[in-house]
Amino acid sequence: MIQYPRILPVGDTAFTVEFGATIEERLVAQVQGFDADLKAHPILGVRETVPSYCALLVVYDPQCCPAATMRLALKQALAQMTGSASAEGRLVEIPVRYGGVEGPDLQDVADYHHLSPEEVIALHTASTYRVAMLGFAPGFAYLLGLDPRLATPRLSTPRTQVAPGSVGIAGNQTGVYALSTPGGWRIIGRTPLVLFDPVRPEPFLLQAGDSVRFRVA
Amino acid sequence: MIEILDPGFLTTVQDAGRYGWLRFGVPPSGPLDAVAFQAANALVGNAPGAAGLEITWTGPALRITRDALIAVCGADFELRAGRRAVPTWYSVVLRAGEVLRFGARSNGARAYLAVDGGIALAPYLGSQATYLPGRFGGMEGRALRAGDSLPLNPGQFDPFAAAGTCWSPSRRPSYRPNPTLKVILGPQREAFSEEGVATFLSNPYTLSATSDRMGARLQGYAIVHTSTGSSISDGVIAGCIQVPPDGQPIVMLADHQSTGGYPKIAVVLQADLPLLAQLLPGDQVRFQAVDLVPGDGC
């Protein structure tokens, strides 16, 4: 049996702090809580952190803080962990134009579940989602909280280009594309919001820990 | 201004990298061989992260519109400034309008050109590093083309007075076509059988021609997983060795995705990444496991 949380080296410039090995809200909250702790009480030498579903990657400068010292500091921070993050992140509302050319897979998702497109939209706008992590491409937000009745497999052949702002479903996840990239998610709509604008003071609309609700634009 | 007459195979603007954005899905980019990059900057009196050029496989021809102190470090290229032969790992003066031409390459794949003052393009998320997949940073997010003009910061001193410094061979990485890279096993070592780890550590792996700045794709004996070959996505840094279900390892490089779902069998030490950056398709690497803290067993 693996004891969690545990600290493992990622080469000589990072550690990963693992809280478990499953995708569940409880672990995401622990990762984000620990991330918030490190932001509130910074460890000298930490360059950046990357929260994901059940681990926090801590990138550090070994010339500033040797590995053994960093591991000890992380161990102490874990011992003093105040608990998991509550819904401290912001609530971001995302207007979506569902279906049509902006949501070419809405009908397929409906057909797959023997629902009408309107029922898919109703289920998709009913949940409050949590941003578990960003990744895959700049600004791409992985959201937790998709109604299991909407879980749909990926496209068998990914699209070579998905428009920025596209809202998709893949398996039991939903997400929003920030940039135009290739992608295999089922696209059910598009938001006119700009998720990534490099010249904004906060370039990214979403970050790990935020809550998200979709509404019909 | 640097004026590009011929871009070479793949020449991009790079600085120290775009740090602090990994949590938003933005990789650092920056030079694949940070040692050569920093040496070139040091030779011309720049800060270690000043923006210069990364030159891949075949070099460019270019000229600079002012007298400039330049240095080229990394792979060996036959260099000509006007009619003069110019050594690599050396600071030299390039006269205003004189053409710097890269010729035959040996011993390595990439070189770095630094110019005193450094390139002065508008930063994107705080950095001039080019990220080709995201089409941002550097010169319009793309590789350089003939006709491009790159603005330079003014030089800080008289280039003639500072020329003639050599970067001692003892301080250069020992590039070779068959290096052994030191790695720290994990963090997903448990995703592989003992036999899988032994395969990885005891066989050579050949650099594939499909490698790019995102990852060095390697081919060799398949590394056997204990499970399906995918894990829950978590954060990735340069040097992480992901093993997809086909068992062929990929070493993530500066343009890596920020998170990955293939298990990471090991991570290359940062100091050994320049040796990997200088390999050509067909070259072979071996991996040697070391402890993070010697004697600590971890």
Side-chain angles (χ1 to χ4, degrees):
Chain A
M1 257 323 258
I2 298 168
Q3 290 287 315
Y4 293 109
R6 63 173 180 171
I7 303 169
L8 297 173
V10 181
D12 57 348
T13 57
F15 282 103
T16 181
V17 183
E18 292 183 350
F19 290 87
T22 49
I23 296 181
E24 48 184 309
E25 187 96 14
R26 178 181 62 89
L27 296 178
V28 169
Q30 286 181 18
V31 171
Q32 294 176 358
F34 190 55
D35 191 30
D37 283 356
L38 292 188
K39 199 171 284 174
H41 308 285
I43 298 171
L44 189 72
V46 171
R47 296 181 70 168
E48 53 188 313
T49 57
V50 185
S52 56
Y53 287 110
C54 37
L56 184 71
L57 181 74
V58 180
V59 185
Y60 66 97
D61 177 358
Q63 296 192 321
C64 179
C65 181
T69 312
M70 180 57 65
R71 194 204 323 251
L72 194 64
L74 289 171
K75 214 170 174 175
Q76 284 168 350
L78 270 179
Q80 289 162 8
M81 206 172 143
T82 43
S84 55
S86 52
E88 272 175 18
R90 306 155 303 169
L91 174 64
V92 182
E93 201 182 58
I94 298 183
V96 179
R97 296 187 289 254
Y98 287 95
V101 287
E102 296 180 301
D105 301 327
L106 177 65
Q107 188 67 53
D108 287 351
V109 171
D111 292 347
Y112 183 85
H113 296 287
H114 307 291
L115 297 169
S116 69
E118 291 71 27
E119 288 170 315
V120 171
I121 295 168
L123 287 172
H124 197 252
T125 52
S127 302
T128 301
Y129 303 87
R130 181 201 272 270
V131 181
M133 66 173 194
L134 282 78
F136 163 65
F140 185 89
Y142 290 84
L143 304 178
L144 274 184
L146 183 69
D147 191 304
R149 284 171 287 179
L150 291 183
T152 317
R154 282 163 214 259
L155 297 173
S156 47
T157 308
R159 289 188 171 86
T160 53
Q161 209 71 278
V162 177
S166 292
V167 178
I169 291 176
N172 56 6
Q173 303 181 99
T174 186
V176 190
Y177 285 76
L179 285 180
S180 177
T181 56
W185 292 41
R186 307 260 177 185
I187 305 304
I188 59 171
R190 195 186 302 169
T191 176
L193 291 185
V194 178
L195 274 86
F196 174 34
D197 178 354
V199 297
R200 261 189 327 224
E202 288 192 30
F204 295 93
L205 181 70
L206 298 175
Q207 60 176 313
D210 286 347
S211 297
V212 169
R213 283 191 73 97
F214 295 106
R215 68 172 169 81
V216 177
Chain B
M1 289 282 193
I2 302 177
E3 295 178 342
I4 305 297
L5 308 174
D6 171 352
F9 174 73
L10 174 68
T11 301
T12 58
V13 175
Q14 299 294 343
D15 64 10
R18 188 173 281 108
Y19 289 94
W21 299 100
L22 204 54
R23 62 190 292 112
F24 295 102
V26 182
S29 302
L32 296 194
D33 180 346
V35 173
F37 173 79
Q38 288 173 13
N41 269 328
L43 282 170
V44 301
N46 286 348
L53 298 183
E54 180 177 88
I55 290 145
T56 309
W57 292 0
T58 64
L62 53 85
R63 63 182 169 227
I64 300 175
T65 52
R66 62 163 163 86
D67 288 348
L69 186 65
I70 65 157
V72 175
C73 298
D76 276 332
F77 278 91
E78 282 177 17
L79 294 176
R80 286 198 167 271
R83 291 182 179 173
R84 290 173 292 144
V86 165
T88 53
W89 302 93
Y90 208 79
S91 64
V92 293
V93 172
L94 192 65
R95 302 298 303 265
E98 202 174 28
V99 175
L100 178 70
R101 214 173 275 283
F102 283 68
R105 173 185 42 75
S106 58
N107 196 26
R110 293 180 168 81
Y112 296 86
L113 168 70
V115 179
D116 68 310
I119 293 169
L121 288 164
Y124 188 98
L125 296 179
S127 163
Q128 294 183 56
T130 306
Y131 177 49
L132 294 173
R135 295 187 220 112
F136 59 68
M139 186 70 182
E140 301 167 355
R142 59 169 171 79
L144 297 182
R145 297 177 190 148
D148 282 342
S149 286
L150 306 171
L152 287 169
N153 291 308
Q156 298 296 309
F157 40 78
D158 174 9
F160 292 92
T165 310
C166 176
W167 198 257
S168 156
S170 65
R171 295 170 70 191
R172 303 174 194 170
S174 47
Y175 303 138
R176 49 195 182 276
N178 54 351
T180 296
L181 305 179
K182 294 191 190 68
V183 300
I184 292 167
L185 289 175
Q188 278 105 37
R189 179 192 178 154
E190 293 140 1
F192 302 90
S193 62
E194 283 303 315
E195 185 198 344
V197 174
T199 304
F200 167 69
L201 291 175
S202 51
N203 289 289
Y205 285 87
T206 304
L207 188 75
S208 152
T210 58
S211 300
D212 56 19
R213 282 181 42 88
M214 290 180 79
R217 293 169 175 274
L218 302 173
Q219 291 172 327
Y221 284 110
I223 300 163
V224 179
H225 300 76
T226 50
S227 54
T228 56
S230 76
S231 55
I232 296 169
S233 287
D234 63 358
V236 167
I237 56 170
C240 281
I241 306 173
Q242 293 193 332
V243 185
D246 67 3
Q248 304 295 316
I250 304 169
V251 188
M252 307 314 290
L253 301 177
D255 284 352
H256 62 83
Q257 293 189 345
S258 64
T259 54
Y262 296 126
K264 296 172 272 293
I265 192 169
V267 183
V268 179
L269 297 192
Q270 293 298 303
D272 280 3
L273 285 176
L275 300 179
L276 179 62
Q278 294 295 353
L279 297 185
L280 294 163
D283 288 348
Q284 289 193 324
V285 291
R286 286 176 176 273
F287 297 101
Q288 177 196 354
V290 298
D291 290 341
L292 176 60
V293 181
D296 191 353
C298 61

